[in-house]
Amino acid sequence: RKSARAREAGAAAAASSSGGVVVQVREKKGPLRAAIPYMPFPVAVFCLFLNTFVPGLGTFVSAFTVLCGARTDLPDRHVCCVFWLNIAAALIQILTAIVMVGWIMSIFWGMDMVILASK
């Protein structure tokens, strides 16, 4: 059984192949993920490197880039709030690294930083 959204997407894709309708997909991020800052590319690669070998350290460093003016996908939140969201993400990564979840999350977080930096 298809949902209404899936049917609409299928219909739009069919119309698109015939040259009619263009469908735009936008990813909805939660507040923790939307708090990842847009950093300069070398800084993002450095944070990925740190997150790969010490889970949460790169995320912790990236929190301070928010205080230095790095923008995020949370423009309506105060800078201090976004800073603490990044600190919370780093703590989650550090505390759950024992069971490998935090280490994997940390690497993916670093990859997101590099992807955002390349935009």
Side-chain angles (χ1 to χ4, degrees):
R1 182 176 167 208
K2 286 187 176 180
S3 69
R5 195 174 253 175
R7 284 193 299 270
E8 288 174 9
S16 179
S17 65
S18 64
V21 178
V22 176
V23 177
Q24 182 180 6
V25 178
R26 224 179 273 168
E27 180 183 8
K28 183 173 180 180
K29 298 178 180 179
L32 205 59
R33 188 135 181 260
I36 299 174
Y38 288 80
M39 299 175 280
F41 191 77
V43 177
V45 171
F46 179 68
C47 288
L48 170 61
F49 177 80
L50 290 176
N51 272 351
T52 303
F53 295 104
V54 183
L57 184 59
T59 306
F60 184 77
V61 169
S62 75
F64 290 95
T65 65
V66 173
L67 297 178
C68 294
R71 68 180 180 83
T72 65
D73 289 331
L74 294 172
D76 55 333
R77 298 260 179 120
H78 192 270
V79 173
C80 289
C81 179
V82 177
F83 169 77
W84 286 112
L85 282 171
N86 279 290
I87 295 294
L91 288 175
I92 291 168
Q93 292 168 10
I94 291 166
L95 294 175
T96 59
I98 299 165
V99 290
M100 296 294 287
V101 173
W103 185 55
I104 294 167
M105 178 186 174
S106 185
I107 292 171
F108 278 108
W109 218 258
M111 289 172 26
D112 282 343
M113 290 177 202
V114 172
I115 290 168
L116 289 175
S118 66
K119 288 184 179 180

